Amino acid sequence: MPRQSAAVYRRRRIVALIGLVLFVAFVGLSAWLLVTRPWAAETDASPVPTSTGTPTPSVTPTEGTESPSPDPTAEETPGVVACEAKDIVVTAVTDADTYAAGVLPNLSISLTNNGATDCTIDVGSTTQVFTVSSGADVWWRSTDCQENPSSMIATLAAGATVASKVPVVWDRTRSSVETCAQENRPRAPGGGSSYHVAVEIGGFAGAATKQILLY
């Protein structure tokens, strides 16, 4: 077999070297594309919101915007007028006539409309007054230490009689606005002592008092 010349060997080595360089370049390019994935921003990545620097305006009422109207009260109901003293009967009510030692009297109010038509009256705690007296001596008044009184306009039907649902409790002590926080206020004597309960509501006072006995 004839020997090939040195020039042939050189050409073959050059071709092999060029092929090796091209192969290395191809592998490098493939690796770069796999790592960087320049198309991912369009195909895989989700859009990320950016801040524009402009704050979102808050919604505030503007001039001319109408606010929802409150529900009408009995006071605003057409055809219903305020109650008159000649039609209203107020009565003091107690849960017992006599009370054993240590038992506290529960005081309530009965309200009757003797008029021919319905009428409105404020039955809230602002207008309720319970007074407990022994003779001319006023022992206790519900408004002396009252907290957070409120108004409540109600319609009293013609001929109807209603009574307060939640009684006011007398703790059998003497009250005054100066002693509300005191725990050692004078206690009302028992032993069969007589006391009278007077009531007032909506500006109307009871015509008579209710007698109770404390033991």
Side-chain angles (χ1 to χ4, degrees):
M1 181 176 179
R3 295 183 57 186
Q4 298 179 349
S5 64
V8 173
Y9 282 113
R10 284 196 297 272
R11 285 196 297 270
R12 289 179 178 177
R13 285 197 294 269
I14 291 172
V15 170
L17 181 61
I18 293 173
L20 180 61
V21 170
L22 292 176
F23 175 76
V24 171
F26 174 77
V27 172
L29 177 62
S30 299
W32 177 79
L33 291 174
L34 182 64
V35 172
T36 59
R37 300 174 63 203
W39 61 86
E42 296 180 3
T43 59
D44 296 338
S46 300
V48 179
T50 58
S51 174
T52 63
T54 304
T56 303
S58 58
V59 179
T60 56
T62 58
E63 221 176 27
T65 302
E66 292 184 2
S67 300
S69 299
D71 293 333
T73 64
E75 193 174 27
E76 299 168 333
T77 304
V80 180
V81 299
C83 296
E84 298 182 15
K86 65 181 179 61
D87 298 324
I88 301 302
V89 177
V90 179
T91 307
V93 179
T94 61
D95 61 336
D97 294 328
T98 61
Y99 295 88
V103 178
L104 304 182
N106 284 242
L107 317 179
S108 302
I109 297 176
S110 173
L111 191 59
T112 301
N113 178 10
N114 284 333
T117 60
D118 299 351
C119 64
T120 60
I121 182 174
D122 189 344
V123 296
S125 57
T126 300
T127 71
Q128 296 181 30
V129 184
F130 294 83
T131 305
V132 179
S133 304
S134 178
D137 185 12
V138 175
W139 263 88
W140 183 84
R141 187 177 289 107
S142 62
T143 54
D144 283 346
C145 300
Q146 189 178 46
E147 296 182 357
N148 303 318
S150 61
S151 295
M152 185 176 71
I153 305 299
T155 298
L156 187 58
T161 297
V162 296
S164 52
K165 293 182 179 180
V166 181
V168 173
V169 180
W170 176 35
D171 62 359
R172 297 176 65 149
T173 66
R174 184 184 292 277
S175 73
S176 71
V177 293
E178 293 83 11
T179 62
C180 293
Q182 294 183 10
E183 297 181 358
N184 58 344
R185 296 191 301 186
R187 299 193 63 81
S193 300
S194 173
Y195 297 85
H196 288 262
V197 181
V199 294
E200 179 181 335
I201 186 170
F204 306 121
T209 61
K210 173 65 185 297
Q211 183 183 31
I212 58 175
L213 301 177
L214 299 188
Y215 287 90

